[in-house]
Amino acid sequence: MARERKFSTDELFRETKQILQCKGYDAFTLSRLAECLNVSRGTIYKYYENKDELIMAYMIDEMNRFLMKLNEMESRQGFFAQFEFLLHLLFENENIDQLMEIGQQISASTNKVKEKKEELSRLHLMIYDRLQQLIQLGRKERVLKEEIPDELILGFIFNSVAIPRSEVPWDQWVKSIKEIIFYGMVKR
């Protein structure tokens, strides 16, 4: 009997990410993943009961990584330095909002999936709390307009990252988004 090829969690999650980004949740199958990893489907089933459990584990890993990087924001002094850090982090991890959408599609079909969905929600709240702290810092430093609700500011930042970028170089794109967020798009 042939010995099964081993794969690392990093390999597994890298291929999971690739399939989700290219094909989407509905087209994701453990068969397709097994083919990408050059293993049998049964090998994956040794670790995960179904695709939802695997995808949720991947999403939790991604969110934990993002949160660890996000926590580095506190080492920056002042709102503008922290905002700059956040913007670059969001552009480097522009799939975070896609992950949250996929998480909404997954039903709690098993206890494990339900637990993972709860963990994902907890991580999402931790990220939101960290971003809320940034908004509060901006208000404390009196650089954000008081009349604009926090949710609108955060929503605008996240949706700005989701805008499809054409052939504009990355640095110019980030600079332009930052310019629009801080100063608007109208000449004064």
Side-chain angles (χ1 to χ4, degrees), residues 12-28:
L12 180 69
F13 288 167
R14 185 175 47 249
E15 292 300 330
T16 298
K17 178 180 183 174
Q18 185 68 25
I19 295 169
L20 285 172
Q21 286 182 327
C22 294
K23 306 285 185 186
Y25 170 77
D26 291 331
F28 184 95

Side-chain angles (χ1 to χ4, degrees), residues 70-143:
L70 184 61
N71 286 333
E72 295 174 22
M73 187 169 65
E74 288 182 32
S75 67
R76 308 311 192 271
Q77 295 298 313
F79 173 80
F80 287 107
Q82 287 190 18
F83 180 80
E84 178 98 18
F85 178 87
L86 172 64
L87 205 54
H88 282 278
L89 181 62
L90 288 172
F91 276 105
E92 289 169 5
N93 296 274
E94 54 192 334
N95 68 323
I96 289 295
D97 63 326
Q98 180 188 18
L99 290 180
M100 294 311 297
E101 274 184 41
I102 291 171
Q104 298 300 319
Q105 292 179 16
I106 296 175
S107 64
S109 55
T110 67
N111 283 337
K112 284 184 183 179
V113 174
K114 182 180 178 186
E115 288 170 12
K116 290 182 184 314
K117 279 187 73 87
E118 289 168 1
E119 173 71 4
L120 192 63
S121 291
R122 189 181 66 75
L123 291 169
H124 184 228
L125 286 175
M126 290 172 72
I127 290 170
Y128 183 82
D129 286 346
R130 186 62 200 99
L131 297 177
Q132 190 66 41
Q133 290 172 19
L134 174 64
I135 299 300
Q136 293 310 313
L137 177 63
R139 296 213 188 277
K140 180 181 175 187
E141 293 180 5
R142 300 176 148 332
V143 295

